Amino acid sequence: MGLIHIELFATLDLVGQAPGGPDEDPVGFPFGGWQAPLLDEVTGAQVGAAYEGTDALLLGRRTYDIFAAYWPNQEGGEDNEIATLFNSVPKYVASRGRPDLSWAGSTQLGPDLADAVREIRDRHEHVKVVGSLNLVQTLLREKLFDRLDLWVHPIVLGVGKKVFDGGAVPTNVTLLEPPVAGPKGTVYLRYGLADGTPGTGDMSAPDRGAGRDD
């Protein structure tokens, strides 16, 4: 069985909407492209390394349409490595509509999304989910992910669709490696899905005060 990796860019208040440009989600969101001023070489290298070994993409309809219009035209350019990868691997699209699947290797998933994702996981080793917040929230709710790569950027927007809006259930995750901060303050966090649900405790328990002088 392979791994489902979620790759997300978010603000400090965990807004994940339209990081790449003003045309990603132009209706009612004034901060499209908020990530661009915060990019640096460290973050760029982290993103490139995160895609190593990718053998399939799992995308929501909006992200798929953006990628399909962009990446086929980028081979040979500055982003040639990622363009070549994205253009060559199978692309699976979660959509209730009828997307244009002209991007080579594209397939629309059936109506039972959970079963379709499980089949993809059985078929591939490293499936990457990029952006696609509606899809991500379904995967979080169903616990149909294995890894979560989250780049938290040092801005607060106060508006926009958040990563965990309506799409999370009590879930344990484990930090896979120490966080790394880039020179512009973006923090890279890598989590893996863990067993069980969050536990609780009592901060006023007597042993909490052991060894204190006050």
Side-chain angles (χ1 to χ4, degrees):
M1 184 174 69
L3 302 175
I4 304 292
H5 304 249
I6 297 175
E7 311 292 331
L8 282 178
F9 305 114
T11 64
L12 192 59
D13 53 338
L14 291 183
V15 172
Q17 185 174 359
D23 296 330
E24 281 189 21
D25 203 352
V27 180
F29 182 63
F31 294 109
W34 53 262
Q35 184 189 22
L38 299 170
L39 290 175
D40 56 54
E41 292 184 0
V42 171
T43 300
Q46 291 167 345
V47 173
Y51 288 124
E52 291 179 3
T54 298
D55 60 353
L57 293 176
L58 174 58
L59 305 171
R61 168 69 180 273
R62 183 182 293 275
T63 300
Y64 173 81
D65 287 344
I66 294 169
F67 279 18
Y70 180 79
W71 288 112
N73 305 312
Q74 302 307 310
E75 290 193 27
E78 182 179 351
D79 295 322
N80 177 69
E81 188 172 348
I82 289 182
T84 301
L85 173 65
F86 282 7
N87 290 330
S88 64
V89 300
K91 275 76 68 172
Y92 298 97
V93 189
S95 174
R96 296 186 181 92
R98 301 182 65 182
D100 176 4
L101 300 176
S102 57
W103 192 11
S106 299
T107 303
Q108 183 174 358
L109 300 181
D112 191 330
L113 180 62
D115 278 353
V117 171
R118 292 185 183 99
E119 290 177 6
I120 292 169
R121 181 193 259 161
D122 288 339
R123 196 178 306 150
H124 298 281
E125 292 296 321
H126 295 285
V127 181
K128 299 301 173 79
V129 183
V130 188
S132 308
L133 285 182
N134 289 336
L135 171 61
V136 164
Q137 289 172 3
T138 298
L139 299 179
L140 293 172
R141 184 172 59 249
E142 300 291 336
K143 295 189 180 181
L144 278 173
F145 72 99
D146 302 284
R147 301 285 185 268
L148 172 60
D149 286 351
L150 184 64
W151 285 266
V152 180
H153 297 69
I155 52 171
V156 175
L157 297 183
V159 296
K161 190 167 187 176
K162 296 190 176 184
V163 172
F164 298 104
D165 268 3
V169 296
T171 304
N172 284 331
V173 297
T174 184
L175 191 66
L176 299 178
E177 58 188 57
V180 178
K184 292 189 177 181
T186 297
V187 179
Y188 178 36
L189 300 164
R190 301 202 75 190
Y191 294 105
L193 180 65
D195 293 334
T197 55
T200 61
D202 185 354
M203 295 297 289
S204 64
D207 60 345
R208 292 284 182 181
R212 290 165 54 179
D213 294 328
D214 54 346

